[in-house]
Amino acid sequence: MPNIKPISDLWNYNNVLNDVTVGTPVFLTKNGRGKYAILDMKNFEKTQATIRLMSELAKGRKAVEETLGITHE
């Protein structure tokens, strides 16, 4: 279950930060809408590595398609 808190809870930021653990981000809302996510540093680094990997895989697939004239379909 997602951990959702209003942004006003940041007045007591230690309580908010204590709720952030690996695999459990805290989502902050403003006026009832999602505004920010606070992640554990391990989660952030893993997400960034995944994005870089997916970007490199997409570049490789595009290069193969352009070189061989084929598509993924």
Coordinates of all heavy atoms in Angstrom, one line a residue:
M1 N 0.8 -1.2 0.0 CA 0.0 0.0 0.0 C 0.9 1.2 0.0 O 1.8 1.3 0.8 CB -0.9 0.0 1.2 CG -1.9 1.1 1.3 SD -3.2 0.4 2.2 CE -4.1 1.8 2.7
P2 N 0.6 2.2 -0.9 CA 1.5 3.4 -1.0 C 1.4 4.2 0.3 O 0.4 4.3 0.9 CB 1.0 4.1 -2.2 CG -0.3 3.5 -2.6 CD -0.4 2.2 -1.9
N3 N 2.5 4.8 0.6 CA 2.6 5.7 1.8 C 2.4 7.1 1.2 O 3.3 7.7 0.7 CB 3.9 5.6 2.5 CG 4.0 6.2 3.8 OD1 3.0 6.8 4.2 ND2 5.0 5.9 4.5
I4 N 1.2 7.7 1.5 CA 0.8 9.0 0.9 C 0.6 10.0 2.1 O -0.1 9.6 3.0 CB -0.5 8.9 0.1 CG1 -0.2 7.9 -1.1 CG2 -0.9 10.3 -0.5 CD1 -1.5 7.5 -1.9
K5 N 1.2 11.1 2.0 CA 1.1 12.1 3.0 C 0.9 13.5 2.4 O 1.4 13.8 1.3 CB 2.3 12.2 3.9 CG 2.6 10.9 4.6 CD 3.8 11.0 5.5 CE 4.1 9.8 6.3 NZ 3.1 9.6 7.4
P6 N 0.2 14.4 3.1 CA 0.1 15.8 2.6 C 1.4 16.5 2.7 O 2.2 16.2 3.7 CB -1.0 16.4 3.4 CG -1.0 15.6 4.7 CD -0.6 14.2 4.3
I7 N 1.7 17.4 1.8 CA 3.0 18.1 1.9 C 3.1 18.9 3.2 O 4.3 19.1 3.6 CB 3.2 19.0 0.6 CG1 4.6 19.3 0.4 CG2 2.4 20.2 0.7 CD1 4.9 19.8 -1.0
S8 N 2.1 19.2 3.8 CA 2.1 20.0 5.1 C 2.8 19.2 6.2 O 3.3 19.7 7.1 CB 0.7 20.4 5.5 OG -0.1 19.3 5.7
D9 N 2.8 17.8 6.0 CA 3.5 17.0 7.0 C 5.0 17.2 7.0 O 5.7 16.8 8.0 CB 3.2 15.5 6.7 CG 1.9 15.0 7.2 OD1 1.1 15.9 7.6 OD2 1.6 13.8 7.2
L10 N 5.5 17.9 6.0 CA 7.0 18.2 6.0 C 7.4 19.2 7.1 O 8.6 19.3 7.4 CB 7.4 18.8 4.7 CG 7.5 17.7 3.6 CD1 7.9 18.4 2.3 CD2 8.5 16.6 3.9
W11 N 6.4 19.8 7.8 CA 6.7 20.7 8.9 C 7.5 19.8 10.0 O 8.3 20.3 10.7 CB 5.5 21.3 9.5 CG 5.0 22.5 8.7 CD1 3.9 22.5 7.9 CD2 5.6 23.8 8.7 NE1 3.8 23.7 7.3 CE2 4.8 24.5 7.8 CE3 6.7 24.4 9.3 CZ2 5.1 25.8 7.5 CZ3 7.0 25.7 9.0 CH2 6.2 26.4 8.1
N12 N 7.1 18.6 10.1 CA 7.7 17.6 10.9 C 8.4 16.6 10.0 O 8.0 15.4 10.0 CB 6.7 17.0 11.9 CG 7.4 16.2 13.0 OD1 8.7 16.1 13.1 ND2 6.6 15.7 13.9
Y13 N 9.4 17.0 9.3 CA 10.0 16.2 8.3 C 10.7 14.9 8.8 O 10.8 13.9 8.1 CB 11.0 17.0 7.4 CG 12.2 17.5 8.2 CD1 13.4 16.7 8.3 CD2 12.2 18.7 8.8 CE1 14.5 17.1 9.0 CE2 13.3 19.2 9.5 CZ 14.5 18.4 9.6 OH 15.5 18.8 10.3
N14 N 11.1 14.9 10.0 CA 11.7 13.6 10.6 C 10.7 12.5 10.5 O 11.0 11.4 10.2 CB 12.2 13.8 12.0 CG 13.5 14.5 12.0 OD1 14.3 14.3 11.1 ND2 13.8 15.4 13.0
N15 N 9.4 12.8 10.8 CA 8.4 11.7 10.8 C 8.2 11.2 9.4 O 8.0 10.0 9.1 CB 7.1 12.2 11.3 CG 7.1 12.3 12.8 OD1 8.0 11.8 13.5 ND2 6.1 13.0 13.4
V16 N 8.2 12.1 8.4 CA 8.1 11.8 7.0 C 9.3 10.9 6.6 O 9.2 9.9 5.9 CB 7.9 13.0 6.1 CG1 7.9 12.6 4.6 CG2 6.6 13.7 6.4
L17 N 10.5 11.4 6.9 CA 11.7 10.7 6.5 C 11.8 9.3 7.1 O 12.4 8.4 6.5 CB 12.9 11.5 6.7 CG 13.0 12.8 5.9 CD1 14.3 13.6 6.3 CD2 13.0 12.6 4.4
N18 N 11.3 9.2 8.3 CA 11.3 7.9 9.0 C 10.5 6.8 8.3 O 10.7 5.6 8.4 CB 10.9 8.0 10.4 CG 12.0 8.6 11.3 OD1 13.2 8.6 11.0 ND2 11.6 9.2 12.4
D19 N 9.5 7.3 7.5 CA 8.6 6.4 6.8 C 9.2 6.0 5.4 O 8.7 5.0 4.8 CB 7.3 7.0 6.5 CG 6.4 7.2 7.8 OD1 6.7 6.5 8.8 OD2 5.5 8.0 7.8
V20 N 10.3 6.6 5.0 CA 10.9 6.2 3.7 C 11.9 5.1 4.0 O 12.8 5.2 4.8 CB 11.7 7.4 3.1 CG1 12.4 7.0 1.9 CG2 10.8 8.6 2.9
T21 N 11.7 4.0 3.3 CA 12.6 2.8 3.4 C 12.8 2.3 2.0 O 12.1 2.6 1.1 CB 12.0 1.7 4.3 OG1 10.7 1.3 3.8 CG2 11.8 2.2 5.8
V22 N 13.8 1.3 1.9 CA 14.0 0.7 0.6 C 12.8 0.0 0.2 O 12.2 -0.8 0.9 CB 15.2 -0.3 0.8 CG1 15.4 -1.0 -0.5 CG2 16.5 0.4 1.2
G23 N 12.3 0.4 -1.0 CA 11.1 -0.2 -1.6 C 9.8 0.4 -1.2 O 8.8 0.0 -1.6
T24 N 9.9 1.4 -0.3 CA 8.7 2.1 0.2 C 8.9 3.6 0.1 O 9.2 4.2 1.1 CB 8.4 1.7 1.6 OG1 8.4 0.3 1.7 CG2 7.0 2.1 2.1
P25 N 8.7 4.2 -1.0 CA 8.8 5.6 -1.1 C 7.6 6.3 -0.4 O 6.6 5.7 -0.1 CB 8.7 5.9 -2.6 CG 8.0 4.8 -3.2 CD 8.3 3.6 -2.3
V26 N 7.7 7.6 -0.1 CA 6.6 8.4 0.5 C 6.2 9.3 -0.6 O 7.0 10.0 -1.2 CB 7.1 9.2 1.7 CG1 6.0 10.1 2.2 CG2 7.4 8.2 2.9
F27 N 4.9 9.4 -0.9 CA 4.4 10.3 -1.9 C 3.7 11.4 -1.2 O 2.9 11.3 -0.3 CB 3.3 9.5 -2.8 CG 3.9 8.4 -3.5 CD1 3.8 7.1 -3.0 CD2 4.7 8.6 -4.6 CE1 4.3 6.0 -3.7 CE2 5.2 7.5 -5.3 CZ 5.1 6.2 -4.8
L28 N 4.1 12.6 -1.6 CA 3.6 13.9 -1.0 C 2.5 14.5 -1.9 O 2.7 14.5 -3.1 CB 4.7 14.9 -0.8 CG 5.8 14.4 0.2 CD1 6.9 15.5 0.3 CD2 5.2 14.1 1.6
T29 N 1.4 14.9 -1.3 CA 0.4 15.5 -2.1 C 0.2 17.0 -1.8 O 0.6 17.4 -0.7 CB -1.0 14.8 -1.8 OG1 -1.3 15.0 -0.4 CG2 -1.0 13.4 -2.2
K30 N -0.2 17.8 -2.7 CA -0.5 19.2 -2.5 C -1.9 19.4 -3.1 O -2.2 19.1 -4.3 CB 0.5 20.0 -3.2 CG 0.3 21.5 -3.0 CD 1.5 22.3 -3.6 CE 1.3 23.8 -3.3 NZ 2.4 24.6 -3.9
N31 N -2.8 19.9 -2.3 CA -4.2 20.1 -2.7 C -4.8 18.8 -3.2 O -5.6 18.8 -4.1 CB -4.3 21.2 -3.8 CG -3.8 22.6 -3.3 OD1 -4.0 22.9 -2.1 ND2 -3.2 23.3 -4.1
G32 N -4.5 17.7 -2.5 CA -5.1 16.4 -2.9 C -4.5 15.8 -4.1 O -5.0 14.7 -4.5
R33 N -3.5 16.3 -4.7 CA -2.9 15.7 -5.9 C -1.5 15.4 -5.7 O -0.8 16.1 -5.0 CB -3.0 16.7 -7.1 CG -4.4 17.0 -7.5 CD -4.4 17.9 -8.7 NE -5.7 18.0 -9.3 CZ -6.1 17.2 -10.4 NH1 -5.3 16.4 -10.9 NH2 -7.3 17.3 -10.8
G34 N -1.0 14.3 -6.3 CA 0.4 13.9 -6.1 C 1.3 15.0 -6.6 O 1.1 15.5 -7.7
K35 N 2.3 15.3 -5.9 CA 3.3 16.3 -6.3 C 4.7 15.9 -6.2 O 5.5 16.2 -7.1 CB 3.1 17.5 -5.3 CG 3.8 18.8 -5.6 CD 3.2 19.4 -6.9 CE 3.9 20.8 -7.1 NZ 3.5 21.4 -8.3
Y36 N 5.1 15.1 -5.2 CA 6.5 14.7 -5.0 C 6.6 13.3 -4.5 O 5.6 12.8 -3.9 CB 7.2 15.6 -4.0 CG 7.2 17.1 -4.4 CD1 6.4 17.9 -3.7 CD2 8.1 17.6 -5.3 CE1 6.3 19.3 -4.0 CE2 8.1 18.9 -5.6 CZ 7.2 19.8 -5.0 OH 7.2 21.1 -5.3
A37 N 7.7 12.7 -4.8 CA 8.0 11.3 -4.2 C 9.3 11.4 -3.6 O 10.3 11.9 -4.1 CB 8.0 10.3 -5.3
I38 N 9.4 10.9 -2.4 CA 10.7 10.8 -1.6 C 11.1 9.4 -1.6 O 10.4 8.5 -1.1 CB 10.6 11.3 -0.2 CG1 10.1 12.8 -0.2 CG2 11.9 11.2 0.5 CD1 9.8 13.3 1.2
L39 N 12.3 9.1 -2.2 CA 12.8 7.8 -2.4 C 14.1 7.5 -1.5 O 14.8 8.5 -1.3 CB 13.2 7.5 -3.8 CG 12.2 7.6 -4.9 CD1 12.9 7.5 -6.3 CD2 11.2 6.6 -4.8
D40 N 14.3 6.3 -1.1 CA 15.5 5.9 -0.5 C 16.6 6.0 -1.5 O 16.3 5.8 -2.7 CB 15.4 4.5 0.1 CG 16.6 4.0 0.6 OD1 16.9 4.2 1.8 OD2 17.4 3.3 -0.1
M41 N 17.8 6.4 -1.2 CA 18.9 6.5 -2.2 C 19.1 5.3 -3.0 O 19.4 5.3 -4.2 CB 20.2 7.0 -1.5 CG 21.1 7.6 -2.4 SD 20.3 9.1 -3.1 CE 21.7 9.7 -4.0
K42 N 19.0 4.1 -2.4 CA 19.2 2.8 -3.1 C 18.1 2.7 -4.2 O 18.4 2.3 -5.3 CB 19.1 1.6 -2.2 CG 20.4 1.5 -1.3 CD 20.3 0.2 -0.5 CE 21.5 0.1 0.4 NZ 21.5 -1.1 1.2
N43 N 16.9 3.1 -3.9 CA 15.8 3.0 -4.9 C 16.1 4.0 -6.0 O 15.9 3.7 -7.2 CB 14.5 3.3 -4.3 CG 13.9 2.2 -3.5 OD1 14.5 1.2 -3.2 ND2 12.6 2.3 -3.2
F44 N 16.5 5.2 -5.7 CA 16.8 6.2 -6.7 C 17.9 5.7 -7.6 O 17.8 5.8 -8.8 CB 17.2 7.5 -6.0 CG 17.6 8.6 -7.0 CD1 16.7 9.2 -7.7 CD2 18.9 8.9 -7.2 CE1 17.0 10.2 -8.6 CE2 19.3 9.8 -8.1 CZ 18.4 10.5 -8.8
E45 N 19.0 5.2 -7.0 CA 20.1 4.7 -7.9 C 19.7 3.5 -8.8 O 20.1 3.5 -9.9 CB 21.3 4.3 -7.0 CG 22.0 5.5 -6.3 CD 23.0 5.2 -5.3 OE1 23.1 4.0 -4.9 OE2 23.7 6.1 -4.8
K46 N 18.9 2.6 -8.2 CA 18.4 1.5 -9.0 C 17.5 2.0 -10.2 O 17.7 1.5 -11.3 CB 17.6 0.5 -8.1 CG 17.2 -0.7 -8.8 CD 16.4 -1.6 -7.9 CE 15.9 -2.8 -8.6 NZ 15.1 -3.7 -7.8
T47 N 16.7 3.0 -9.9 CA 15.8 3.5 -10.9 C 16.6 4.2 -12.0 O 16.4 4.0 -13.2 CB 14.8 4.5 -10.3 OG1 14.0 3.8 -9.4 CG2 13.9 5.1 -11.4
Q48 N 17.6 4.9 -11.6 CA 18.5 5.6 -12.6 C 19.3 4.6 -13.5 O 19.4 4.8 -14.7 CB 19.5 6.6 -11.9 CG 18.8 7.8 -11.3 CD 18.0 8.6 -12.3 OE1 18.6 9.1 -13.2 NE2 16.7 8.8 -12.0
A49 N 19.8 3.5 -12.8 CA 20.5 2.5 -13.6 C 19.6 1.8 -14.6 O 20.0 1.5 -15.7 CB 21.1 1.5 -12.6
T50 N 18.3 1.6 -14.2 CA 17.4 0.9 -15.0 C 17.1 1.8 -16.2 O 17.0 1.3 -17.4 CB 16.1 0.6 -14.3 OG1 16.4 -0.3 -13.2 CG2 15.0 0.0 -15.2
I51 N 16.9 3.1 -16.0 CA 16.6 4.0 -17.1 C 17.8 4.0 -18.1 O 17.6 4.0 -19.3 CB 16.3 5.4 -16.6 CG1 15.0 5.5 -15.8 CG2 16.4 6.5 -17.7 CD1 14.7 6.7 -15.0
R52 N 19.0 4.1 -17.6 CA 20.2 4.1 -18.4 C 20.3 2.8 -19.2 O 20.6 2.8 -20.4 CB 21.5 4.3 -17.6 CG 21.7 5.7 -17.2 CD 23.1 5.9 -16.6 NE 23.4 5.0 -15.4 CZ 23.1 5.3 -14.2 NH1 22.5 6.5 -13.9 NH2 23.4 4.5 -13.2
L53 N 20.0 1.7 -18.6 CA 20.0 0.4 -19.3 C 19.0 0.3 -20.4 O 19.3 -0.1 -21.5 CB 19.8 -0.8 -18.3 CG 19.7 -2.2 -18.9 CD1 21.0 -2.6 -19.6 CD2 19.3 -3.2 -17.8
M54 N 17.8 0.7 -20.1 CA 16.7 0.7 -21.1 C 17.0 1.7 -22.3 O 16.8 1.3 -23.4 CB 15.4 1.1 -20.5 CG 14.9 0.1 -19.4 SD 14.7 -1.6 -20.0 CE 13.3 -1.4 -21.1
S55 N 17.7 2.8 -22.0 CA 18.1 3.7 -23.0 C 19.1 3.1 -23.9 O 19.0 3.2 -25.2 CB 18.6 5.0 -22.4 OG 19.1 5.9 -23.4
E56 N 20.1 2.4 -23.4 CA 21.1 1.8 -24.2 C 20.5 0.6 -25.0 O 20.9 0.4 -26.2 CB 22.3 1.3 -23.3 CG 23.1 2.4 -22.7 CD 23.7 3.3 -23.7 OE1 24.3 2.7 -24.7 OE2 23.7 4.5 -23.5
L57 N 19.6 -0.1 -24.4 CA 19.0 -1.2 -25.2 C 18.2 -0.7 -26.3 O 18.2 -1.2 -27.4 CB 18.1 -2.0 -24.2 CG 18.8 -2.9 -23.2 CD1 17.8 -3.5 -22.2 CD2 19.6 -4.0 -23.9
A58 N 17.5 0.4 -26.1 CA 16.7 1.1 -27.2 C 17.6 1.5 -28.3 O 17.3 1.4 -29.5 CB 15.9 2.2 -26.7
K59 N 18.8 2.1 -28.0 CA 19.7 2.6 -29.0 C 20.3 1.4 -29.8 O 20.4 1.4 -31.0 CB 20.9 3.3 -28.3 CG 20.6 4.6 -27.8 CD 21.9 5.2 -27.1 CE 21.6 6.4 -26.3 NZ 22.8 6.9 -25.6
G60 N 20.5 0.3 -29.1 CA 21.0 -0.9 -29.8 C 20.0 -1.5 -30.7 O 20.3 -1.9 -31.8
R61 N 18.8 -1.6 -30.3 CA 17.7 -2.1 -31.1 C 17.5 -1.2 -32.4 O 17.4 -1.7 -33.5 CB 16.4 -2.2 -30.4 CG 15.3 -2.9 -31.2 CD 14.1 -3.0 -30.4 NE 13.3 -1.8 -30.6 CZ 12.2 -1.5 -29.9 NH1 11.9 -2.2 -28.9 NH2 11.6 -0.4 -30.1
K62 N 17.6 0.1 -32.2 CA 17.4 1.1 -33.3 C 18.6 0.9 -34.3 O 18.4 0.9 -35.5 CB 17.4 2.5 -32.8 CG 17.1 3.5 -33.9 CD 17.0 4.9 -33.3 CE 16.8 5.9 -34.4 NZ 16.8 7.3 -33.9
A63 N 19.8 0.7 -33.8 CA 20.9 0.5 -34.6 C 20.8 -0.7 -35.5 O 21.1 -0.7 -36.7 CB 22.2 0.5 -33.8
V64 N 20.3 -1.8 -34.9 CA 20.2 -3.1 -35.6 C 19.1 -2.9 -36.6 O 19.3 -3.4 -37.8 CB 19.8 -4.2 -34.6 CG1 19.3 -5.5 -35.4 CG2 21.0 -4.6 -33.7
E65 N 18.0 -2.3 -36.3 CA 16.9 -2.1 -37.3 C 17.4 -1.2 -38.4 O 17.1 -1.5 -39.6 CB 15.7 -1.4 -36.6 CG 15.0 -2.3 -35.6 CD 13.9 -1.5 -34.8 OE1 13.8 -0.3 -35.0 OE2 13.2 -2.2 -34.1
E66 N 18.2 -0.2 -38.2 CA 18.6 0.7 -39.3 C 19.7 -0.1 -40.1 O 19.7 0.1 -41.3 CB 19.2 1.9 -38.7 CG 18.2 2.9 -38.1 CD 18.8 4.1 -37.4 OE1 20.0 4.1 -37.2 OE2 18.0 4.9 -37.0
T67 N 20.5 -0.9 -39.5 CA 21.6 -1.6 -40.2 C 21.0 -2.7 -41.1 O 21.4 -2.8 -42.2 CB 22.6 -2.1 -39.2 OG1 23.1 -1.0 -38.5 CG2 23.7 -2.8 -40.0
L68 N 20.1 -3.5 -40.5 CA 19.6 -4.6 -41.2 C 18.3 -4.4 -41.9 O 17.8 -5.2 -42.7 CB 19.4 -5.8 -40.2 CG 20.7 -6.3 -39.5 CD1 20.3 -7.4 -38.5 CD2 21.7 -6.7 -40.5
G69 N 17.7 -3.2 -41.7 CA 16.4 -2.9 -42.4 C 15.3 -3.7 -41.9 O 14.3 -4.0 -42.6
I70 N 15.3 -4.2 -40.6 CA 14.2 -5.0 -40.0 C 13.6 -4.2 -38.9 O 14.2 -3.3 -38.3 CB 14.7 -6.4 -39.6 CG1 15.8 -6.2 -38.5 CG2 15.1 -7.2 -40.7 CD1 16.2 -7.5 -37.8
T71 N 12.4 -4.6 -38.5 CA 11.7 -4.0 -37.3 C 11.4 -5.1 -36.3 O 11.5 -6.3 -36.6 CB 10.4 -3.3 -37.7 OG1 9.5 -4.3 -38.2 CG2 10.7 -2.2 -38.8
H72 N 11.1 -4.7 -35.1 CA 10.7 -5.6 -34.1 C 9.4 -6.4 -34.4 O 9.1 -7.3 -33.7 CB 10.7 -4.9 -32.7 CG 9.6 -3.9 -32.6 ND1 9.7 -2.6 -33.2 CD2 8.4 -4.0 -32.0 CE1 8.6 -2.0 -32.9 NE2 7.7 -2.7 -32.2
E73 N 8.7 -5.9 -35.3 CA 7.4 -6.6 -35.6 C 7.7 -7.8 -36.5 O 7.1 -8.7 -36.5 CB 6.5 -5.6 -36.4 CG 6.1 -4.4 -35.5 CD 5.7 -3.2 -36.4 OE1 5.7 -3.3 -37.6 OE2 5.2 -2.2 -35.8

